[in-house]
Amino acid sequence: MQTPHAPEPPRLAILVPTTGGCARVASLERRPRLARSMATHVDDFRPLPIAEGYHRLVEGPLATHDEAPTPWHLALTERIDTGRSWELPVVLAHRAVARGARLSDVTEADTVIWATGAVDAALAPAGEARYLAEKLAHSAPSLDVAGPRAHFLVAADAPDGALVAEAAGRIGGTAHTFSTFEDIERMLDAVIGSRTPAPANPPAGKGEVRTAKPAAILIRAAVLAALAAAIAASVSILGEETGTGERLAAMIRMEQLTAPTREACIDAVLSGGALTARRLPLDEPVVEIPATPATCALRFVTLGATPVTVRFDDRLQDTLIAADAPVGRAITVVNGSHYTLVFRASPAGRTTGLTLGAGGREERRTLAFGAEDR
């Protein structure tokens, strides 16, 4: 009996229009060995002038949606030297790859997305989407090839948004607008489907399909089996302690990130700027988080080689970006990485449940936020 093949991942071309031309996201790959995220021209190793801004975008707003935050390498088909309108299409590329989409060129893509605009710390529109007529003109050759496969996305309050709708109508495409990050997610749900795990190999974008050799598969299976046996042997009958007896709260550090004002705090998260970080001990069942003028994030950093999962209950859901992963399901923080939970609204005076997990064990804490000083 033949085993049915897994469905092919959707192929997506993401256009990045500028006043000087029209670039495309050629590839987007995790690069754990990089010191920081990098943006380059395709097939070049030298960072583009926007590389610093891209690193800040990955480490700030996008990190709140990444289950295993690591550096990324973004490759574009054309140089982009200035401005911030590349941010929206790059956010779309990250969120599409998270759904398992494969980046492609316009000719082979199932769907072509044209988007322009800057984003803020909550991945909502920041400022006005400008020069739309000029950007549409530069993009016309690619859009004509895309035809009805084209989808357009700009801020709902873009002054010349009607021009985008006209361009979409001319080629039989579809125009979308967004006011919040949730609008971006809904568009992608409609265009390419809901989130599915992205394949580990090959990386999203250009590259060869890599297949593990049979010997490597057997070795990997043996290692995993030995690891599973070791974990099972180290867990007590009650499942409360590992062989080392190390408390989970000692395996991860939780920090409160603050600034003099909430606006300054959000700006720093977006730009990768310095924030005041206060370590919060996790030794007690109830963790009191002091009142501050603005708490915009909690950061979790592993302290050893063992991955630790972090999960919150839904009591703070209305203060977080809706798609933030640790509400209702766990995020794994691996060695050498961190996870930052960003608040879009103040958690002052609220409480929530935090569950830490590792090695088959769980520890629970209640976080109690003080009221903000006025």
Side-chain angles (χ1 to χ4, degrees):
M1 187 174 89
Q2 290 185 339
T3 302
H5 293 289
E8 289 291 323
R11 294 168 299 178
L12 191 66
I14 298 183
L15 303 181
V16 188
T18 70
T19 55
C22 182
R24 177 175 55 82
V25 179
S27 64
L28 181 62
E29 304 172 3
R30 289 186 185 274
R31 295 294 190 188
R33 295 187 178 182
L34 287 179
R36 56 198 288 118
S37 295
M38 178 182 297
T40 69
H41 183 271
V42 65
D43 296 327
D44 195 356
F45 64 91
R46 288 164 292 194
L48 294 171
I50 65 167
E52 178 63 26
Y54 174 62
H55 169 72
R56 291 173 176 174
L57 179 66
V58 171
E59 286 294 302
L62 281 173
T64 66
H65 305 283
D66 198 337
E67 295 181 19
T70 56
W72 288 81
H73 177 206
L74 167 71
L76 300 171
T77 59
E78 304 290 341
R79 286 184 61 88
I80 299 179
D81 295 329
T82 60
R84 291 180 53 196
S85 64
W86 54 268
E87 292 174 354
L88 175 58
V90 168
V91 168
L92 285 164
H94 273 267
R95 300 307 297 155
V97 167
R99 284 169 161 75
R102 299 294 300 277
L103 299 177
S104 172
D105 62 26
V106 174
T107 303
E108 297 181 352
D110 302 308
T111 302
V112 178
I113 295 181
W114 183 99
T116 184
V119 297
D120 64 14
L123 297 178
E128 294 183 350
R130 299 182 297 171
Y131 310 113
L132 294 182
E134 193 172 351
K135 292 175 181 178
L136 287 166
H138 286 306
S139 309
S142 294
L143 294 174
D144 287 342
V145 172
R149 295 174 295 145
H151 290 258
F152 299 73
L153 182 65
V154 293
D157 60 356
D160 295 326
L163 295 177
V164 176
E166 291 173 7
R170 181 178 62 83
I171 60 175
T174 305
H176 308 260
T177 61
F178 82 112
S179 300
T180 67
F181 171 74
E182 287 76 16
D183 295 332
I184 295 176
E185 295 284 89
R186 280 191 287 269
M187 174 199 168
L188 289 174
D189 286 344
V191 170
I192 62 174
S194 60
R195 179 187 173 92
T196 56
N201 289 312
K206 65 183 184 68
E208 298 179 354
V209 175
R210 297 173 293 189
T211 304
K213 296 180 180 179
I217 294 175
L218 292 175
I219 292 172
R220 188 177 303 165
V223 171
L224 290 175
L227 178 60
I231 292 174
S234 67
V235 179
S236 70
I237 294 176
L238 295 177
E240 293 177 351
E241 296 183 358
T242 63
T244 63
E246 184 179 13
R247 298 185 62 198
L248 300 188
M251 298 164 61
I252 193 165
R253 181 173 73 243
M254 182 173 72
E255 299 172 335
Q256 175 189 21
L257 303 182
T258 63
T261 66
R262 180 159 189 78
E263 291 74 17
C265 197
I266 294 297
D267 287 345
V269 169
L270 178 64
S271 65
L275 283 166
T276 300
R278 175 173 183 168
R279 183 170 182 172
L280 300 169
L282 289 167
D283 301 325
E284 300 298 329
V286 177
V287 180
E288 295 185 359
I289 300 179
T292 64
T295 294
C296 70
L298 294 177
R299 182 165 59 202
F300 296 86
V301 184
T302 53
L303 301 178
T306 304
V308 180
T309 61
V310 176
R311 186 176 76 249
F312 287 88
D313 64 24
D314 61 2
R315 282 179 281 176
L316 288 182
Q317 191 165 18
D318 61 331
T319 70
L320 305 171
I321 297 172
D324 209 8
V327 174
R329 66 187 184 97
I331 273 185
T332 301
V333 186
V334 299
N335 183 32
S337 71
H338 67 270
Y339 174 74
T340 304
L341 178 74
V342 181
F343 298 101
R344 65 177 180 182
S346 173
R350 307 283 289 276
T351 61
T352 190
L354 166 65
T355 302
L356 304 175
R361 296 181 299 146
E362 287 189 343
E363 289 182 7
R364 294 175 177 81
R365 300 288 185 271
T366 296
L367 306 186
F369 294 85
E372 284 187 6
D373 298 333
R374 299 295 181 184

